[in-house]
Amino acid sequence: MSQANIEDNEVDIVIAALHSDLTSFMIEWKPVFSRFHLIIVKDPDLSEELQIPEGFNLDVYTKSDIDGVVGSSSSIVFSGYSCRYFGYLISQKKYIISVDDDCIPARDSSGSLVDIIAQHADNLTTPATPFFFNTLYDPYRKGADFVRGYPFSLRSGVTCALSCGLWLNLADYDAPTQALKPEQRNTRYVDAVLTVPARAMMPVSGINIAFNRELVGPALIPALKLAGEGKLRWETVEDIWSGMCVKVICDHLGLGVKSGLPYVWRNERGNAIDSLKKEWEGMKLMEEVVPFFQSVRLPQSAIKAEDCVVEMAKTVKEQLGQSDPMFARAAEAMVEWVKLWKAVRSRELST
Amino acid sequence: MSQANIEDNEVDIVIAALHSDLTSFMIEWKPVFSRFHLIIVKDPDLSEELQIPEGFNLDVYTKSDIDGVVGSSSSIVFSGYSCRYFGYLISQKKYIISVDDDCIPARDSSGSLVDIIAQHADNLTTPATPFFFNTLYDPYRKGADFVRGYPFSLRSGVTCALSCGLWLNLADYDAPTQALKPEQRNTRYVDAVLTVPARAMMPVSGINIAFNRELVGPALIPALKLAGEGKLRWETVEDIWSGMCVKVICDHLGLGVKSGLPYVWRNERGNAIDSLKKEWEGMKLMEEVVPFFQSVRLPQSAIKAEDCVVEMAKTVKEQLGQSDPMFARAAEAMVEWVKLWKAVRSRELST
């Protein structure tokens, strides 16, 4: 693991502040975060002042900043976990790393603190191999390689655009699973990174992710907002939806998605049983969402993530829009998001 | 890990004897193998008598047994690593587990001996999930589950037909990789099993595998024999070829393939540099083989592995047969194999 391929100033760490007191969170992450620029986006629903310790290079954005950029006419709601997307929107860095504010650094099997920046950087700067599965996991890792039978023509791989990290202690389960197994904790540290094969769909969790903003930034969108969505991860599916958008777009553009290391340590928060009523809605939607993303194909003319999102929004509206108004709203948000993304970029150019 | 779902008498352990002295191999495996029936197939090219210690329940098959069943007219060659397929052919058990004779039991991260039978049995008797990727690996494992966003309708999974284990110490690299990195040893124990997603192709290694013989036995075929094939793993691709056949067939029939645990400890054998001249042939073939298997589709009428193999043989002959006579011979061997498989089964019924 090294950051040889990424300069410190190519990274923005984006934190969604759903709680006002970030003191212990920031202190825990200080050894990992202190060299990098942080974007902290305060949940617009949060009224208390944020408490952030000294010693970081950071910018804080609040409701008034969001309103200033987005305006009031937007169909996009930046509240709750979705506020982090505002950070993705205004970042000007090549890479974004984002972690939930209820997570602290994990330790690996040898007891060392996991540097999520270094590992995500490694994942994003070494190639991905979506077109053939390597049974020994990441072939670019020290001590590993491509196994016998792996075609040489595929060994150079493709650019990795998205790196999905995992969670020790409280895993990212939905409310019913959490309610059924309240004592379950993830204690297994699986020392591996793998490329999720092309055309295989997966549930991307927003808890601990990193991505190449220049390549796929426009595809991470707070589009699918549940009616009963609250301030707990298991009440949201916005990351799952945008994760499937990104995966389809990566498959289309010949980019890779990795999953595995790095882990974060995730602390308990909230009562799963209280969330059950709300969560069923999101889970029912998945039964339609997954087959949709498995079958959607983008036109050859779509050669940038922005184009892909616009094309996908059309298909969402056509194929899913009738079955639930939430999907129609998601399609609108996707179109709106691309406009917003382009507007922010053109403002950057003119300043 | 448990073998609750498999009876001891449902398993055949098939060993290809490429070396006459199996004493230390058998002694190392005794704690794991002693409860099960073993089929040892002696490489027909091997002239020395086999040395096998006492204390096992086993049957040994030699060239004369092979000739007796297969006859002289066959286009299938059972020499070298391919002799194990004779064991697959004559087994009457539901599950087959096969390990190379240069492997001994591995130890897991806590230092315990790995019971490959128990782990392969677990892999084969718990469902596989090829239609959506679970980021926390095997959701049926103790302490794990399906993550948020995983559709409930896909959580019952499908039957697992093939379990591909891995290797510590000497990994299964091809000769050039081995020659370039002669000191490289795999020391990383990745504590995970995952389902390889549907439509993703992979290089199946024959070193350490298990499968449901009733479901996919006819698809494991010694079909692709290289002209310069020798007695070293990196000089062969027969397992890679039949692995891709099985994967395509599993995808077609709605069955699953898992990869990961259990590990075996693989010892050094042979000189990679000596093999380089031969091996390039197999590697060049992969450049055609992989795109072929990625695109081949089977007709809906093929509902058993036997049907699938016959259909695939037709397509191999049509699409690859012209480019290299080895492919045409592989197609012939596939057709011949299904005839042989059926003949052995009908003989079983009549006795």
Side-chain angles (χ1 to χ4, degrees):
Chain A
M1 256 192 308
S2 71
Q3 282 152 254
N5 303 323
I6 288 190
E7 301 287 328
D8 291 1
N9 64 10
E10 290 184 296
V11 175
D12 266 336
I13 297 170
V14 174
I15 306 297
L18 272 75
H19 294 81
S20 57
D21 190 354
L22 291 177
T23 312
S24 67
F25 171 79
M26 298 290 281
I27 288 169
E28 292 275 7
W29 282 107
K30 192 156 191 177
V32 180
F33 285 178
S34 56
R35 284 163 46 211
F36 301 92
H37 179 249
L38 276 78
I39 293 177
I40 296 181
V41 187
K42 186 186 173 190
D43 177 3
D45 298 341
L46 193 65
S47 51
E48 298 90 344
E49 281 284 298
L50 287 190
Q51 295 174 46
I52 301 170
E54 295 285 303
F56 292 90
N57 169 20
L58 57 81
D59 289 303
V60 175
Y61 296 91
T62 63
K63 187 170 188 308
S64 63
D65 301 303
I66 296 173
D67 290 345
V69 171
V70 177
S72 56
S73 66
S74 172
S75 56
I76 301 170
V77 183
F78 284 99
S79 69
Y81 280 104
S82 294
C83 71
R84 76 172 66 207
Y85 292 83
F86 183 75
Y88 303 167
L89 182 67
I90 49 118
S91 167
Q92 298 185 29
K93 302 290 174 67
K94 183 169 181 183
Y95 299 105
I96 290 198
I97 292 166
S98 188
V99 61
D100 275 5
D101 67 349
D102 52 358
C103 298
I104 60 170
R107 291 185 181 274
D108 65 19
S109 352
S110 68
S112 308
L113 203 74
V114 173
D115 180 346
I116 62 164
I117 314 291
Q119 181 67 52
H120 276 308
D122 251 24
N123 294 351
L124 290 172
T125 55
T126 54
T129 52
F131 304 121
F132 201 62
F133 184 77
N134 193 51
T135 50
L136 277 188
Y137 310 100
D138 181 3
Y140 300 99
R141 186 166 172 179
K142 197 167 180 295
D145 212 312
F146 290 97
V147 299
R148 179 170 55 94
Y150 206 103
F152 274 67
S153 60
L154 294 178
R155 292 189 186 199
S156 49
V158 302
T159 302
C160 180
L162 176 67
S163 164
C164 306
L166 296 172
W167 340 273
L168 288 173
N169 195 38
L170 197 71
D172 187 12
Y173 296 130
D174 48 48
T177 305
Q178 198 59 52
L180 276 166
K181 300 178 174 180
E183 302 304 320
Q184 180 143 307
R185 293 296 176 269
N186 187 29
T187 57
R188 199 155 48 96
Y189 185 92
V190 175
D191 188 14
V193 176
L194 57 88
T195 295
V196 182
R199 303 284 172 227
M201 285 295 113
M202 63 186 294
V204 171
S205 163
I207 293 172
N208 167 21
I209 56 165
F211 56 96
N212 183 318
R213 195 192 56 82
E214 292 175 358
L215 289 176
V216 295
L220 286 107
I221 313 164
L224 191 63
K225 186 100 181 159
L226 300 178
E229 185 176 310
K231 305 291 183 190
L232 298 168
R233 257 295 171 210
W234 52 54
E235 296 178 350
T236 66
V237 292
E238 117 282 324
D239 51 348
I240 308 289
W241 175 275
S242 73
M244 277 191 261
C245 286
V246 180
K247 185 63 171 64
V248 167
I249 290 172
C250 284
D251 288 344
H252 175 75
L253 298 177
L255 301 168
V257 174
K258 293 183 188 174
S259 181
L261 302 179
Y263 281 90
V264 294
W265 183 272
R266 189 164 174 248
N267 288 309
E268 283 93 300
R269 179 191 278 181
N271 184 316
I273 295 169
D274 292 346
S275 302
L276 269 182
K277 272 175 287 182
K278 305 172 180 176
E279 170 65 14
W280 285 106
E281 187 192 27
M283 287 189 322
K284 272 180 279 176
L285 292 182
M286 283 303 112
E287 302 297 332
E288 284 187 82
V289 165
V290 170
F292 168 76
F293 282 107
Q294 279 170 335
S295 63
V296 69
R297 291 291 176 273
L298 298 167
Q300 283 304 315
S301 57
I303 52 167
K304 289 175 67 180
E306 290 91 321
D307 315 333
C308 294
V309 171
V310 171
E311 291 296 333
M312 210 178 296
K314 278 186 215 163
T315 325
V316 169
K317 199 177 168 188
E318 281 163 24
Q319 293 185 23
L320 295 175
Q322 303 303 312
S323 83
D324 195 305
M326 244 176 295
F327 293 130
R329 283 198 294 273
E332 271 171 51
M334 289 163 79
V335 174
E336 182 76 22
W337 176 259
V338 171
K339 282 185 197 156
L340 212 49
W341 192 271
K342 287 178 175 171
V344 170
R345 301 285 88 85
S346 68
R347 213 172 307 166
E348 275 170 27
L349 289 174
S350 66
T351 53
Chain B
M1 258 190 305
S2 70
Q3 282 152 256
N5 302 324
I6 288 191
E7 301 287 330
D8 291 1
N9 63 11
E10 288 184 296
V11 175
D12 265 335
I13 298 170
V14 174
I15 307 296
L18 272 76
H19 294 81
S20 56
D21 190 354
L22 291 177
T23 311
S24 67
F25 171 80
M26 299 290 281
I27 289 169
E28 292 275 7
W29 283 107
K30 193 156 190 177
V32 181
F33 286 177
S34 56
R35 284 162 47 210
F36 300 92
H37 179 249
L38 277 79
I39 292 177
I40 296 183
V41 187
K42 186 184 172 191
D43 177 3
D45 298 340
L46 192 66
S47 50
E48 298 90 345
E49 282 282 298
L50 288 189
Q51 294 174 47
I52 300 169
E54 296 285 304
F56 292 90
N57 168 20
L58 57 81
D59 289 303
V60 175
Y61 296 91
T62 63
K63 186 169 190 309
S64 63
D65 300 303
I66 296 173
D67 290 345
V69 170
V70 177
S72 55
S73 66
S74 172
S75 57
I76 302 170
V77 183
F78 284 99
S79 69
Y81 279 104
S82 294
C83 71
R84 77 172 64 208
Y85 292 82
F86 183 75
Y88 303 168
L89 182 67
I90 48 121
S91 167
Q92 298 186 28
K93 302 291 174 65
K94 183 169 181 183
Y95 299 105
I96 289 197
I97 292 166
S98 188
V99 60
D100 276 5
D101 67 350
D102 52 358
C103 299
I104 60 172
R107 291 186 180 275
D108 65 19
S109 353
S110 67
S112 308
L113 203 74
V114 173
D115 181 345
I116 62 165
I117 314 289
Q119 182 67 52
H120 276 308
D122 251 24
N123 294 352
L124 290 172
T125 54
T126 55
T129 52
F131 304 120
F132 202 62
F133 184 77
N134 194 51
T135 50
L136 278 189
Y137 310 99
D138 180 4
Y140 299 99
R141 186 166 171 179
K142 197 169 180 299
D145 212 313
F146 291 96
V147 299
R148 179 170 56 94
Y150 206 103
F152 274 67
S153 59
L154 294 178
R155 294 190 185 198
S156 50
V158 302
T159 302
C160 180
L162 175 67
S163 164
C164 305
L166 296 172
W167 340 273
L168 289 173
N169 195 37
L170 197 71
D172 188 11
Y173 295 131
D174 48 49
T177 305
Q178 198 59 51
L180 276 166
K181 300 179 174 178
E183 302 304 319
Q184 180 144 305
R185 295 294 175 270
N186 187 29
T187 57
R188 199 155 50 96
Y189 186 92
V190 175
D191 188 14
V193 176
L194 56 88
T195 295
V196 182
R199 302 284 171 227
M201 285 295 113
M202 64 185 292
V204 171
S205 163
I207 293 172
N208 167 21
I209 57 165
F211 56 95
N212 183 319
R213 194 191 56 82
E214 292 175 357
L215 289 176
V216 294
L220 286 107
I221 313 164
L224 192 63
K225 185 100 181 161
L226 300 178
E229 186 176 310
K231 305 293 182 187
L232 298 169
R233 258 294 172 211
W234 52 54
E235 297 178 350
T236 66
V237 292
E238 116 282 324
D239 51 346
I240 308 290
W241 175 275
S242 72
M244 278 192 260
C245 286
V246 180
K247 184 63 170 65
V248 168
I249 290 171
C250 283
D251 288 346
H252 175 76
L253 298 177
L255 300 168
V257 174
K258 293 183 188 173
S259 180
L261 302 180
Y263 282 89
V264 293
W265 184 271
R266 189 165 174 246
N267 287 309
E268 282 93 301
R269 179 190 279 180
N271 184 316
I273 296 169
D274 292 345
S275 302
L276 269 181
K277 273 175 285 182
K278 305 172 181 177
E279 170 66 15
W280 285 106
E281 187 192 26
M283 288 188 323
K284 272 180 278 175
L285 292 183
M286 283 302 113
E287 302 297 331
E288 285 188 81
V289 165
V290 169
F292 168 76
F293 282 107
Q294 279 171 333
S295 63
V296 69
R297 292 291 177 273
L298 298 167
Q300 284 304 314
S301 57
I303 53 167
K304 289 175 68 180
E306 289 92 320
D307 315 334
C308 294
V309 172
V310 171
E311 290 297 333
M312 210 178 295
K314 278 186 214 161
T315 325
V316 169
K317 199 177 168 187
E318 281 163 23
Q319 293 186 22
L320 296 176
Q322 303 302 312
S323 83
D324 195 305
M326 243 176 297
F327 293 131
R329 281 198 295 273
E332 271 171 51
M334 289 163 79
V335 174
E336 182 75 21
W337 175 260
V338 171
K339 282 185 198 156
L340 213 48
W341 192 271
K342 288 179 175 169
V344 170
R345 303 284 88 84
S346 68
R347 214 171 308 166
E348 276 168 26
L349 290 174
S350 66
T351 54

